[in-house]
C-alpha cells in the first residue's frame, strides 16, 4: 500500500522557520514527482511547490517564491519543504502528494495519485 506521512509542523512566530518532511512507503519514490499543498479552514486547497522525480525541476507558487524550498533525498524516501520568513497567512494544513507524471504547481490536487494525512503549521505571535 502506498503511504505518505508528513511531519515537522507546529507553532512558530512570524519570521520564523520550519522544515516539513514527507516520507513515502509502499512504492519507489524515484518514480514519482511530489507536490506540497496547503489548506486553511474554509479555503480551497492550493499548490505550494512541486519537484520532479529526479529533483532537477522545481516549481513554486508566487506567494512562497524566495521563502520556501522543496528538495528530496530519494535514497531516504523523503521530500522536504524548508519554509523561511513565515507569515500568519501561511497558517494551514500542509499535505504532500505523489504524481506519476510531470507536474507544476498549477496542476490541481485531484490529479495526484496518493496523499498524506497532513501536518498543521500555525504562524502566530
Amino acid at each position: 500500500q502506498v503511504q505518505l506521512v508528513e511531519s515537522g509542523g507546529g507553532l512558530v512566530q512570524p519570521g520564523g522557520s520550519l522544515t516539513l518532511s514527507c516520507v513515502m512507503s509502499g512504492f519507489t519514490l524515484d518514480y514519482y514527482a511530489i507536490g506540497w499543498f496547503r489548506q486553511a479552514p474554509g479555503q480551497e486547497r492550493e499548490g505550494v511547490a512541486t519537484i520532479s522525480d529526479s529533483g532537477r525541476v522545481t516549481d513554486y507558487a508566487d506567494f512562497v517564491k524566495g521563502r520556501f524550498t522543496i528538495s528530496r533525498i530519494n535514497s531516504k524516501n523523503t521530500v522536504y519543504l524548508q519554509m523561511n520568513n513565515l507569515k500568519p497567512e501561511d497558517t494551514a494544513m500542509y499535505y504532500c502528494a505523489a504524481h506519476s507524471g510531470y507536474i507544476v504547481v498549477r496542476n490541481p490536487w485531484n490529479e495526484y495519485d496518493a496523499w498524506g494525512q497532513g501536518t498543521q503549521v500555525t504562524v502566530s505571535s
Side-chain angles (χ1 to χ4, degrees), residues 10 18 20-22 37 41-42 44 48 54-55 61 66 88-89 91 101 109 112 119:
L18 285 173
L20 306 183
S21 298
C22 176
F37 287 78
E44 295 250 333
V48 175
S54 68
E89 53 263 43
T91 296
W109 62 270
Y112 283 73
T119 186

Side-chain angles (χ1 to χ4, degrees), residues 10-87:
L11 176 64
V12 65
Q13 294 183 336
S17 299
L18 285 173
T19 299
L20 306 183
S21 298
C22 176
V23 179
M24 289 74 173
S25 64
F27 66 97
T28 302
L29 183 62
D30 308 53
Y31 299 157
Y32 290 88
I34 301 296
W36 283 98
F37 287 78
R38 70 186 189 186
Q39 188 169 26
Q43 303 296 316
E44 295 250 333
R45 188 172 297 185
E46 59 185 356
V48 175
T50 61
I51 188 166
S52 64
D53 54 2
S54 68
R56 296 183 182 274
V57 182
T58 58
D59 191 34
Y60 297 92
D62 287 342
F63 54 81
V64 303
K65 286 181 178 177
R67 299 191 297 125
F68 291 11
T69 302
I70 188 171
S71 62
R72 64 193 296 161
I73 302 178
N74 286 355
S75 63
K76 296 182 178 181
N77 276 356
T78 303
V79 173
Y80 304 93
L81 185 68
Q82 175 66 48
M83 306 184 296
N84 297 322
N85 192 25
L86 284 161
K87 304 174 180 180

